Amino acid sequence: MKKVLLAACLLVATGASTLRAEDGYDLWLRYRLITDAPLLARYKAAVTGLVVEGDSPTLRAARDEMTRGLKGLFGADVAADAKVARDGDVIIGTAASSKIISGLPLAKELKALGKEGYLIRAVTIGGKKVIVVAGNEDVGALYGSFALLRQMQTHGSLASISLTSSPKIQVRMLDHWDNLDRSVERGYAGKSLWEWSELPGSISNRYRDYARANASIGINAAALTNVNANVKMLTPEYIANVAAIAGELRPYGMKVFLSAKFSAPIDLGGLKTADPLDADVKAFWARKADEIYAAIPDFGGFLVKANSEGQPGPQDYKRSHAEGANMFADALAPHNGLVIWRAFVYGGNTAPDRVKQAYDEFKPLDGQFKSNVVVQVKNGPLDFQPREPFSPLFGAMPKTPLFMEFQVTKEYLGQDTHLVYLGAEFEEVLRADTYAKGKGSTVAKVIEGSVDPYRITGIAVIATVGTDTNWTGSQFNQANWYAYGRMAWDPMAKSSSVADEWIRMTFSNDPRVVAGIEHIMMVSREAVVNYMTPLGLVHIMATGHHYGPGPWVRQGRPDQTPYYYHRADSLGMGFDRTKTGTNGVEQYFPEVRDRYASRKTVPDSVLLFFHRVGWTEKLASGRTMWDELVYRYNMGVDSVRSMQKGWDKVESAIDAERFGEVKSFLAIQEKEARWWRDAALSYYQTFSKLPIPAQYEQPAHPLTYYQTIRCPQNRNKPRCDAVP
Ligand code: GCW
């Protein structure tokens, strides 16, 4: 493993646990022996056998998982595959695969749960008490199996268990930004999982474990490679490799998508153009689609980043995004494939305001996309900041299905080391009200297709999964993968409940441990906002690697510099997006627009995103803007310190290896929270000329010290030098 963690070896004797060391590989699927003896006895009495009726790769996956899970939780094998229902059997299958299930009066209820839904119920059959796990399709039965295991992993009751569940969103996807050389753009968890040079002949065990993890939280699709696409991906050699990966993911209900490079007709097809209206270009893509589907019959489709950050696209030929997307749509339609066209367009001319660009380019195209095109929109109008308002595109394209795009790799949020639970962010964004069709038109409802009737619904996340033993670069980044899956399944799930589940499965069911860790997780998002970008600041990270603070950076393309966003001067700071500025607020529906546009109603959390505010202007708290800034930066540091204390308290309940890793990362986070605070405040102070009130810690170094700290541009591990 890449991280050399001293803290694990330095544990002080007091409170250190004697639990078996864990490296995090098992994620939330640890299935450790249940140590609560009465509970274990109850479970063992309720579950004594396993009947998986039917045979398919997916039902076999369900059986394998149940066998593995029960063996771990119970510490003993459970008799599998009896033919008849006995007392204590868990019966898994579908109405089609299972005689027992088809014999139960469940048909109507089951049908209402759709293709991927499941039902878990304690029933009595011929006097025998059994638990039925039923889906309409095999994958539903698999999801139900994971849910039953989760029930036991979180110490829920099995007595008269009765659960039904089905996903609110159809496509629940991970987007990998993996390159073919196995580097990962914005990846902080080791190398890419995909072993291109070993494929297709040799298949890593990790593909299956990756699929298991995803299926356990309902993720059903993955785009394997970077949207900054490599055209080699579409060559026969790579298509064969992808087919091999798809074969591993398929039993777990996952479809594979690929990033398509717009210029492929030129790069691979030897054509002179990639103009989407050109007949040869269309024919090239139709042939390519046929070739891919011949190898991967359930291929999901293409994910495309076009005319953004240097990627080729239809605008190179004076064609619109719709014309570009529709060309792919035609090629994929005969195979029922999907085009996922990204709205993160960040092209040459972003004047007068970069954050307005996606809306300005896409809103006018609503209604022009073919029926198998969807547009994928980042959660905020800028770029995965610690906090942004939701993107105004949500609700604004009634005729075009919009997919949500989140990012769990935490490019701008401390990457691998900082503990930031993003469930809180997902909840904030998903529950935000767009007012598109009046009150209650939340972002969640927009992407669920219930504000406007979308023909297809979806959500994606930039994944953080790599070859690190713990998969995600840190133990706590696993929680974001987990929370994403659970909230993609049910966008109204409460992030605290999701955290609760994850903690129980990942660390412990001890109520004090659960409460302690949940507290850490639930304060962590606001902590990072406060020590990096309080009061609606955005993008003040150093250029390139986006790791540490760099609010002073002014060189380079203006809309890539922090200065562009904060605009600090002797009078104040903030970006005026009201009528007196770029009028970005105009992109929101009137209720939201007015709320953000008025200094009286704009929440402090996004204040400087929409307004320029004088240093000594009073805010809602009664403090001046400057004092509020100082207060919040300090609050951020204090929160990290309270997270450290909280973590120390659970030491005896966590194995030393994971405890030590988290502890050492929290120490880095505390140090770097101070770095952020001291660097940012020292810099703003050159404009405000106001003192940091004496009750607060003063910056440890002069501003020039922070300005000379250098982090490697592609920091795949070495830490930034000389951080205080
Ligand atoms: O967040 C930015 C990243 C780029 C990324 C781009 C995008 C894949 O800094 O690395 O490129 O967004 O979303 O396309």
Side-chain angles (χ1 to χ4, degrees):
M1 204 181 157
K2 67 186 190 290
K3 283 159 196 135
V4 182
L5 294 170
L6 290 176
C9 321
L10 296 176
L11 279 180
V12 273
T14 50
S17 89
T18 50
L19 299 169
R20 189 173 112 201
E22 293 193 40
D23 56 20
Y25 182 86
D26 293 337
L27 297 161
W28 47 89
L29 301 175
R30 292 161 57 251
Y31 306 131
R32 294 291 185 271
L33 178 67
I34 293 169
T35 50
D36 175 337
L39 182 76
L40 179 60
R42 284 203 297 282
Y43 283 169
K44 280 184 153 176
V47 177
T48 53
L50 187 60
V51 180
V52 180
E53 279 202 307
D55 187 32
S56 73
T58 301
L59 288 174
R60 258 174 269 148
R63 190 192 51 209
D64 291 352
E65 197 68 32
M66 283 302 291
T67 308
R68 175 203 293 250
L70 292 174
K71 181 173 181 160
L73 294 167
F74 291 5
D77 284 318
V78 166
D81 283 340
K83 291 281 178 286
V84 287
R86 303 158 304 187
D87 256 332
D89 271 342
V90 171
I91 297 163
I92 299 176
T94 66
S97 78
S98 161
K99 274 219 177 80
I100 303 174
I101 290 171
S102 66
L104 295 170
L106 296 172
K108 215 170 143 205
E109 209 179 332
L110 200 51
K111 202 157 173 233
L113 297 170
K115 283 169 85 159
E116 299 178 302
Y118 60 82
L119 173 156
I120 303 176
R121 183 148 314 157
V123 294
T124 307
I125 302 175
K128 313 282 183 206
K129 284 187 170 169
V130 301
I131 296 174
V132 164
V133 179
N136 287 302
E137 302 206 354
D138 294 351
V139 71
L142 175 66
Y143 288 154
S145 303
F146 277 112
L148 180 59
L149 287 167
R150 180 161 63 235
Q151 183 78 358
M152 289 183 261
Q153 289 174 281
T154 56
H155 292 191
S157 169
L158 293 186
S160 55
I161 186 171
S162 179
L163 298 174
T164 54
S165 190
S166 53
K168 300 262 176 10
I169 294 182
Q170 294 162 356
V171 181
R172 306 172 300 277
M173 181 154 173
L174 288 189
D175 289 359
H176 294 265
W177 284 354
D178 294 16
N179 298 315
L180 302 195
D181 64 2
R182 299 190 68 197
S183 64
V184 179
E185 179 149 353
R186 311 302 178 184
Y188 315 101
K191 290 196 291 185
S192 165
L193 282 185
W194 322 123
E195 299 178 346
W196 300 114
S197 58
E198 320 294 322
L199 286 162
S202 152
I203 305 280
S204 158
N205 287 338
R206 284 191 85 145
Y207 302 156
R208 175 153 312 177
D209 287 335
Y210 164 84
R212 288 176 50 233
N214 282 315
S216 76
I217 49 177
I219 290 172
N220 64 4
L224 302 185
T225 49
N226 196 350
V227 287
N228 291 329
N230 186 327
V231 77
K232 257 168 69 182
M233 214 49 237
L234 301 173
T235 59
E237 180 196 346
Y238 275 87
I239 293 171
N241 292 338
V242 173
I245 297 174
E248 291 297 295
L249 308 191
R250 186 172 297 117
Y252 290 86
M254 291 184 77
K255 277 190 180 182
V256 161
F257 286 71
L258 289 179
S259 296
K261 193 169 186 95
F262 200 84
S263 56
I266 303 173
D267 309 334
L268 287 184
L271 300 180
K272 292 225 161 49
T273 179
D275 182 347
L277 301 192
D278 182 278
D280 292 337
V281 170
K282 289 182 185 184
F284 169 87
W285 284 113
R287 276 198 312 275
K288 198 43 82 186
D290 293 346
E291 185 187 339
I292 295 174
Y293 278 92
I296 313 163
D298 58 351
F299 179 64
F302 291 132
L303 171 65
V304 188
K305 171 176 178 178
N307 292 119
S308 177
E309 299 186 321
Q311 292 300 305
Q315 293 174 345
D316 302 348
Y317 306 93
K318 309 227 173 333
R319 312 294 185 200
S320 72
H321 285 292
E323 287 168 314
N326 290 343
M327 171 195 66
F328 286 104
D330 287 339
L332 292 167
H335 310 282
N336 295 319
L338 197 64
V339 185
I340 305 177
W341 196 265
R342 294 179 81 229
F344 179 72
V345 283
Y346 178 26
N349 182 16
T350 60
D353 183 354
R354 172 179 162 190
V355 313
K356 290 173 68 178
Q357 196 178 8
Y359 182 101
D360 285 346
E361 285 197 22
F362 279 86
K363 165 86 182 141
L365 300 176
D366 191 30
Q368 295 183 28
F369 293 99
K370 298 218 166 172
S371 64
N372 56 336
V373 177
V374 305
V375 171
Q376 182 160 299
V377 181
K378 286 190 182 181
N379 60 274
L382 180 54
D383 192 13
F384 301 138
Q385 298 301 297
R387 170 169 283 130
E388 293 178 51
F390 66 89
S391 166
L393 273 170
F394 293 113
M397 297 192 61
K399 299 185 188 126
T400 313
L402 299 184
F403 278 21
M404 164 68 75
E405 182 177 297
F406 282 122
Q407 192 201 52
V408 292
T409 180
K410 301 201 345 284
E411 170 184 354
Y412 295 93
L413 290 88
Q415 301 172 1
D416 52 344
T417 36
H418 293 209
L419 192 168
V420 182
Y421 174 53
L422 294 174
E425 179 197 298
F426 303 154
E427 183 170 308
E428 176 178 301
V429 175
L430 291 165
R431 292 179 186 221
D433 200 340
T434 69
Y435 281 87
K437 296 273 189 308
K439 193 169 163 46
S441 310
T442 57
V443 171
K445 287 191 179 157
V446 170
I447 57 169
E448 283 172 19
S450 58
V451 169
D452 299 298
Y454 287 161
R455 45 191 182 264
I456 174 139
T457 59
I459 183 166
V461 80
I462 312 310
T464 184
V465 180
T467 54
D468 274 8
T469 306
N470 66 26
W471 299 87
T472 55
S474 77
Q475 304 299 332
F476 272 88
N477 274 353
Q478 297 180 355
N480 294 327
W481 183 6
Y482 184 85
Y484 165 73
R486 298 290 284 148
M487 295 172 84
W489 182 275
D490 177 9
M492 289 309 278
K494 277 186 67 188
S495 62
S496 54
S497 316
V498 172
D500 188 282
E501 267 175 22
W502 177 80
I503 298 162
R504 288 170 181 277
M505 294 196 277
T506 307
F507 288 117
S508 166
N509 274 285
D510 175 338
R512 276 170 315 160
V513 177
V514 176
I517 299 181
E518 193 176 314
H519 178 76
I520 293 172
M521 290 169 74
M522 294 311 292
V523 301
S524 64
R525 193 297 185 99
E526 211 54 43
V528 76
V529 169
N530 280 328
Y531 67 72
M532 286 187 182
T533 53
L535 287 179
L537 286 168
V538 286
H539 215 298
I540 60 166
M541 296 71 193
T543 307
H545 50 73
H546 296 161
Y547 190 70
W552 45 80
V553 176
R554 288 183 77 156
Q555 316 89 310
R557 180 176 158 164
D559 57 6
Q560 281 178 339
T561 66
Y563 178 76
Y564 176 92
Y565 296 98
H566 64 67
R567 305 193 169 198
D569 64 17
S570 62
L571 300 176
M573 77 172 160
F575 195 118
D576 184 358
R577 293 196 165 92
T578 69
K579 273 202 181 120
T580 49
T582 66
N583 210 10
V585 286
E586 191 64 33
Q587 296 183 332
Y588 290 94
F589 286 91
E591 290 83 348
V592 182
R593 177 197 64 202
D594 295 348
R595 178 156 175 261
Y596 287 156
S598 161
R599 272 293 306 278
K600 291 210 181 71
T601 49
V602 64
D604 280 350
S605 58
V606 289
L607 177 65
L608 301 176
F609 191 88
F610 290 109
H611 296 267
R612 278 191 68 71
V613 180
W615 296 112
T616 56
E617 277 182 57
K618 283 260 164 70
L619 305 190
S621 61
R623 283 183 280 269
T624 64
M625 191 268 273
W626 170 253
D627 284 348
E628 185 71 26
L629 207 58
V630 175
Y631 171 78
R632 294 207 181 200
Y633 270 108
N634 278 282
M635 205 153 72
V637 174
D638 290 347
S639 302
V640 178
R641 290 174 180 158
S642 81
M643 288 157 61
Q644 288 181 292
K645 288 206 186 91
W647 186 248
D648 285 344
K649 281 200 193 129
V650 300
E651 178 170 4
S652 60
I654 314 281
D655 60 284
E657 187 173 355
R658 290 186 300 164
F659 178 81
E661 180 188 304
V662 174
K663 187 176 169 76
S664 65
F665 279 13
L666 282 168
I668 293 171
Q669 189 173 1
E670 194 272 341
K671 192 171 74 167
E672 295 185 348
R674 280 187 280 121
W675 171 32
W676 269 94
R677 176 195 67 189
D678 294 347
L681 288 177
S682 307
Y683 171 71
Y684 301 136
Q685 200 173 30
T686 63
F687 302 99
S688 78
K689 312 273 189 229
L690 292 166
I692 294 172
Q695 75 260 35
Y696 298 112
E697 289 169 4
Q698 302 295 312
H701 302 280
L703 175 60
T704 47
Y705 175 87
Y706 301 108
Q707 288 174 320
T708 49
I709 292 175
R710 290 287 169 262
C711 304
Q713 278 300 310
N714 183 7
R715 52 172 294 282
N716 211 350
K717 284 316 108 184
R719 307 242 73 84
C720 309
D721 298 327
V723 172

